[in-house]
Every structure is written in structure tokens, then in C-alpha cells.
Amino acid sequence: MTYDFLPSVAAPLARLIEEFHKLPGIGPKTAQRLAYYLIRMPAEEAHSLAEAILAVKERITFCTVCQNITESSPCPLCSSQSRDRSRLCVVEEPLDVLSLERTRVYKGLYHVLHGVISPASGIGPENLKIREMLERLKGNEVEEVILATNPSLEGESTAMYIHRLLLPLVPRITRLARGLPVGGDLEYADEVTLSRALEGRQEM
Amino acid sequence: MTTPPKIYSTEAIVLKHTPLGEADYLLTMYTPNRGKTRAVAKGARRVKSRLGGHLEPLMRASLLMARGQNLDVVSQAEALEGFRTVREDLQRVSQALCMAELVDAITPEEQPNYPIYRLFLESLRRLEGDAPPSLMPFFQLHLLEQSGFRPELYRCVECDSTLAPGLHRFAPDRGGTLCVSCHPPGLTILPLSLDTLKVLRFLQREVYNIAARLHLEPGTLLEMERLLGALLRCVLEREVKASRFLHQVSQDDRERAEAAASPANNIKE
């Protein structure tokens, strides 16, 4: 619509520029550049891009069990027989599942909260997938819940809040260790991190 | 005219941070000499960031800042006080976040107000310590006072007559007490008990060390919470978002305490 006053821009092109402009981090100039790039693109590549966008919208859903992004619900992780069903790892975002899977250490199940309690932004527990998690844990064989929210103020608050709710439901609730990152530097560590690293020190 | 230095150091308490770009944070902080100020912490979201841990919300940190085009950039940071007890207790952290949001909402940018800095810092320290129930109303009353919204608690905001004991109400839109004979149209009027009025006056008048000794009845505390909440909503012209979570946590705590106190719960299944 912005390009109505410029008859030199063909209508389909103007529409494409508008659509790009809606994306995060894309300004008017970038939108124009992307649109003109697409015009010069081979037709099959453009088709494949369009299909990929449609496929994401049409085929991707949320897993009814763990709330992760998936193509089939329940997702492969939730329906897998080889996963340890006695452990449940609670994470903030779908991307956190990827990071934890990359470690190849954890073999249990996940639950994605899709956010974190952030009182200052008005995001409360009711905006997260906490109710779904409690439903899931009722009458389940889960023996340990690992709270793997970020070690930030919001992540810690969320973990504390969930911990309260889980106490009567789960025999064991754990929190990821907090301390120094690999390749880190003591000199630059803050006091909270360092004191926790000291408390969590281990025999070697 | 001399140009301001390109680099300066300051102390600050982080009020909040919002993600910016790939790995940066946009910080809103309260400083003793510059008031509320915003700055960019580059790379602070990376695990190995040298800034990250020092610039979490509610941290008091010593900073070296570089003046930028629009926003200043944090070039070095070292945490001075981490308020760990506050961080590790849901009730305390929600109170602290509520305070931080109030400071953020009520203060304009780049306007020094040292009393507010002191008040906020002292309140966080109290919260880290014994965190008495009078802390929140004390903080709210004095924050309002230091930002020029001191509530009137002695005279009627409508007719300016001195209030008679027992004959008073509260008008948050007018920022104070109302006598019983004034009926301004279209005004929200809240009931105000004599006990609560006395406690409000006491908290407004006293320094913290004396105010903290006050024993508060749960009813008085709730009434005060409601009145000050309404007053702050009128001053800020918006809801205090963090207070909703604080209410949720407080209510949860009360229910828990009641459940623990009731004898039915002590019977083992």
C-alpha cells in the first residue's frame, strides 16, 4: 500500500516488498533488496522457498504432550520407546531442547514452557504451558523433574514457582548446576556465579 | 563549551533488561548521579560474556561506560551487590521486581534523584535481610514523596479541612484523604479505616529504622496495599504489571501458611 503512489513499481512486486517488511529486523531497504533478488532467482528456487514457507505453516504443530514444535503429535521424542520415561526436563524454549539433545547425555523426556515468568513484562504463569505440565505429571511414572530454565532472574523465578507446584507431585526435583562456563575466566565472573561455583565444587 | 568525556564510570542498579539484536541486552538502570538511564550491554546474552552475570536485573554494579551515538555502551562491569537471598526467594524477588518496575515507571530518564537511588538500594538491602511486611508500603510512600506525588494524609483534598478521627475516606485520583462531607462527583472513593490512616501517617513521617519496628495487622496491610495500589495506578496511569505476580505469590504463601496451620493437615494419610 505504501507503494501506491509509485506506479513504476509493479503491483505484485510492491506486495512482496510489503510482506518482507513485516518480518522482524527487515527495514524498507532490505525488503526492496530481497524482493528484487527474488525476481532474478530461478523459478524452481522461488517455488521451493514458497513451498517451505507453506509447509511450515501447514504441517508444523505443537506436540500435545511436551508442547515442542513438531510435525506429528505426539512428537518423535515423546513417542520413542528408547527414552527414559522416569525423567522430565523442563525448558523455556523449543531451541533449548535442541541444545540439550546435542549433549547426548540426557535420555529422558522434555516439557517446553514457551516462555518464562517475567513479572515486569506482565507475563505470568498462566501464559506458560505450566498447566499442561501438571496435567501430564498426574498419574505418571516420572521420578525426577529437571528444571532447566535459564540461570537468569526470570528463569530462576520460573524454576522457583514451578518447584512449589511440583513438590507434592514428584519425588525428586532438580535444577541444572550453576557455575563457571567452559572457557570462562574467573576474573570476569560475578559474585553470584562464583559463590555458586564454590558451593557446587566437586572432588577430583 | 567543553565536550563531555567519551568514557565515564558510574554505579548503577539494573532495573530491567530486554533482549536486543542477536546477543545484546538493552539495560534500564538507576544511577546515583544521572537518575534512570538506558545503555547497551553488547554480547551480554552469551554464556561466556564478561558482562552478563554482572548486569542481571537487581544487581548493583560498578560500570565503565562509553558514550555512544544514541545509547551509551557498557564497556566494563563488576557486580557490587548481587542480592542473592532476594534472588533465591520467590516472595522477595517478586517484591524487588515490583519495586524496580515502580522506580522505572515513575522516574523520567536522565534526571538525577539521589534520594530515590538511596531508597531503592536500602529497600533491596532490607529485602535481603529480614524483609518486614512494612517494607513495601514504606517504599511506595517514600517513592511517591521523592518523585513529587506525596499523598495528603492530614487534610481533605477537596475542602482543605483538617480530618476528624474516624471521618475520612481516600480519593486516589486526587492523591489523598477526603472528609465525609465532601462528595465530588465522578470520583473513585475508597474507605479508609482509622488504624490504616495512622499507620500510613507513621510510615510517611518516620525513617525506616523506626518504621520497621511497627507491627502490622494483616487487615491493615491489605487495606494499605489496596489504597497505595490505587494511588500508584492513578499516578502512573497504568497497571503495575509486576504487582499481579506479587499478589499471586503472596496469596499462595497465605494459603500455604493456613494449610500448614490447620490441624487436618497434620494427620498422616
Side-chain angles (χ1 to χ4, degrees):
Chain A
M1 283 202 272
T2 326
Y3 293 88
D4 280 354
F5 62 94
L6 267 183
S8 57
V9 178
L13 182 57
R15 187 178 151 209
L16 185 60
I17 295 175
E18 283 293 303
E19 292 299 325
F20 274 131
H21 193 23
K22 289 179 192 161
L23 299 179
I26 307 272
K29 288 290 168 199
T30 317
Q32 286 166 26
R33 226 171 288 137
L34 286 172
Y36 277 95
Y37 176 81
L38 281 189
I39 291 173
R40 296 200 195 91
M41 201 184 222
E44 55 271 30
E45 269 185 48
H47 270 290
S48 130
L49 175 65
E51 266 169 39
I53 293 172
L54 281 179
V56 161
K57 285 319 287 180
E58 283 163 5
R59 303 229 301 269
I60 292 291
T61 53
F62 293 106
C63 171
T64 48
V65 184
C66 71
Q67 310 296 326
N68 199 359
I69 294 168
T70 174
E71 200 179 337
S72 58
S73 179
C75 71
L77 276 174
C78 289
S79 45
S80 160
Q81 290 304 310
S82 61
R83 306 292 295 198
D84 178 359
R85 300 196 161 263
S86 67
R87 287 204 173 82
L88 184 74
C89 182
V90 180
V91 296
E92 287 178 20
E93 298 292 342
L95 278 175
D96 299 332
V97 174
L98 278 187
S99 304
L100 283 163
E101 278 300 285
R102 229 179 291 138
T103 64
R104 296 206 185 87
V105 173
Y106 181 67
K107 299 284 180 226
L109 301 176
Y110 292 95
H111 189 86
V112 183
L113 295 173
H114 288 279
V116 67
I117 296 174
S118 174
S121 323
I123 301 173
E126 65 282 357
N127 303 105
L128 309 180
K129 305 282 183 189
I130 292 179
R131 209 175 339 109
E132 288 81 351
M133 179 186 64
L134 295 177
E135 281 301 314
R136 190 180 166 183
L137 286 168
K138 270 179 204 152
N140 209 306
E141 73 262 49
V142 171
E143 281 161 19
E144 180 184 1
V145 170
I146 304 167
L147 298 175
T149 50
N150 286 335
S152 61
L153 186 81
E154 289 90 357
E156 295 286 1
S157 309
T158 311
M160 283 190 280
Y161 183 83
I162 294 177
H163 177 253
R164 282 181 164 198
L165 299 177
L166 290 185
L167 268 178
L169 296 174
V170 189
R172 188 163 183 238
I173 306 165
T174 53
R175 179 94 176 98
L176 287 191
R178 284 147 295 188
L180 298 165
V182 174
D185 195 328
L186 276 194
E187 193 190 337
Y188 292 105
D190 61 283
E191 54 170 62
V192 178
T193 305
L194 256 183
S195 55
R196 278 183 177 155
L198 264 174
E199 286 164 13
R201 70 185 188 277
Q202 285 175 2
E203 209 81 50
M204 61 178 285
Chain B
M1 205 180 96
T2 52
T3 50
K6 287 212 174 73
I7 281 183
Y8 63 97
S9 57
T10 182
E11 183 187 306
I13 305 175
V14 181
L15 298 176
K16 66 171 182 194
H17 61 195
T18 37
L20 183 77
E22 180 87 350
D24 307 344
Y25 268 131
L26 175 62
L27 303 173
T28 309
M29 328 181 274
Y30 207 80
T31 63
N33 305 321
R34 299 162 60 93
K36 183 173 78 177
T37 175
R38 296 196 300 161
V40 179
K42 290 210 185 281
R45 271 150 71 205
R46 293 204 180 93
V47 170
K48 281 178 222 162
S49 164
R50 289 169 173 191
L51 298 174
H54 301 272
L55 295 172
E56 277 281 295
L58 307 179
M59 281 264 179
R60 181 169 81 94
S62 162
L63 308 171
L64 188 71
M65 310 279 292
R67 230 171 269 281
Q69 283 275 322
N70 295 312
L71 288 164
D72 295 351
V73 177
V74 181
S75 81
Q76 286 175 30
E78 185 173 42
L80 298 172
E81 272 174 279
F83 302 108
R84 202 176 147 181
T85 314
V86 173
R87 253 161 238 285
E88 290 174 359
D89 181 280
L90 203 54
Q91 170 70 27
R92 283 185 166 103
V93 82
S94 40
Q95 282 195 43
L97 284 173
C98 211
M99 289 179 185
E101 189 184 341
L102 286 176
V103 171
D104 184 20
I106 214 163
T107 56
E109 253 179 77
E110 303 290 334
Q111 235 177 68
N113 190 329
Y114 188 67
I116 289 186
Y117 182 80
R118 260 335 295 172
L119 174 70
F120 186 36
L121 180 57
E122 288 301 328
S123 302
L124 284 177
R125 285 181 179 155
R126 302 280 175 190
L127 212 51
E128 179 83 359
D130 50 356
S134 58
L135 181 61
M136 201 60 184
F138 179 88
F139 174 80
Q140 291 173 334
L141 276 169
H142 287 261
L143 180 70
L144 281 165
E145 175 159 352
Q146 295 302 341
S147 32
F149 295 102
R150 179 190 160 107
E152 173 59 58
L153 297 173
Y154 292 88
R155 308 181 83 85
C156 171
V157 286
E158 195 67 18
C159 66
D160 204 32
S161 60
T162 314
L163 294 176
L167 303 172
H168 34 69
R169 295 161 305 160
F170 195 76
D173 317 68
R174 296 287 168 87
T177 43
L178 198 70
C179 72
V180 281
S181 30
C182 288
H183 298 280
L187 213 62
T188 317
I189 297 171
L190 300 171
L192 169 62
S193 69
L194 184 60
D195 275 355
T196 305
L197 179 63
K198 282 181 176 167
V199 171
L200 282 171
R201 285 175 177 172
F202 180 75
L203 291 178
Q204 189 180 58
R205 187 173 65 227
E206 293 300 340
V207 292
Y208 191 79
N209 281 339
I210 297 170
R213 285 187 225 142
L214 192 65
H215 175 75
L216 285 174
E217 294 295 327
T220 314
L221 201 60
L222 272 176
E223 192 179 350
M224 212 150 47
E225 215 172 87
R226 207 170 47 240
L227 294 175
L228 289 171
L231 181 60
L232 282 161
R233 256 196 309 281
C234 290
V235 168
L236 302 174
E237 295 179 341
R238 72 166 172 91
E239 208 58 52
V240 183
K241 291 183 209 142
S243 68
R244 232 183 70 225
F245 186 61
L246 177 59
H247 280 303
Q248 229 167 342
V249 172
S250 308
Q251 199 172 349
D252 206 41
D253 278 350
R254 272 198 293 277
E255 277 165 19
R256 237 161 243 274
E258 276 165 29
S262 76
N265 248 43
N266 296 333
I267 302 164
K268 284 260 152 64
E269 279 178 44

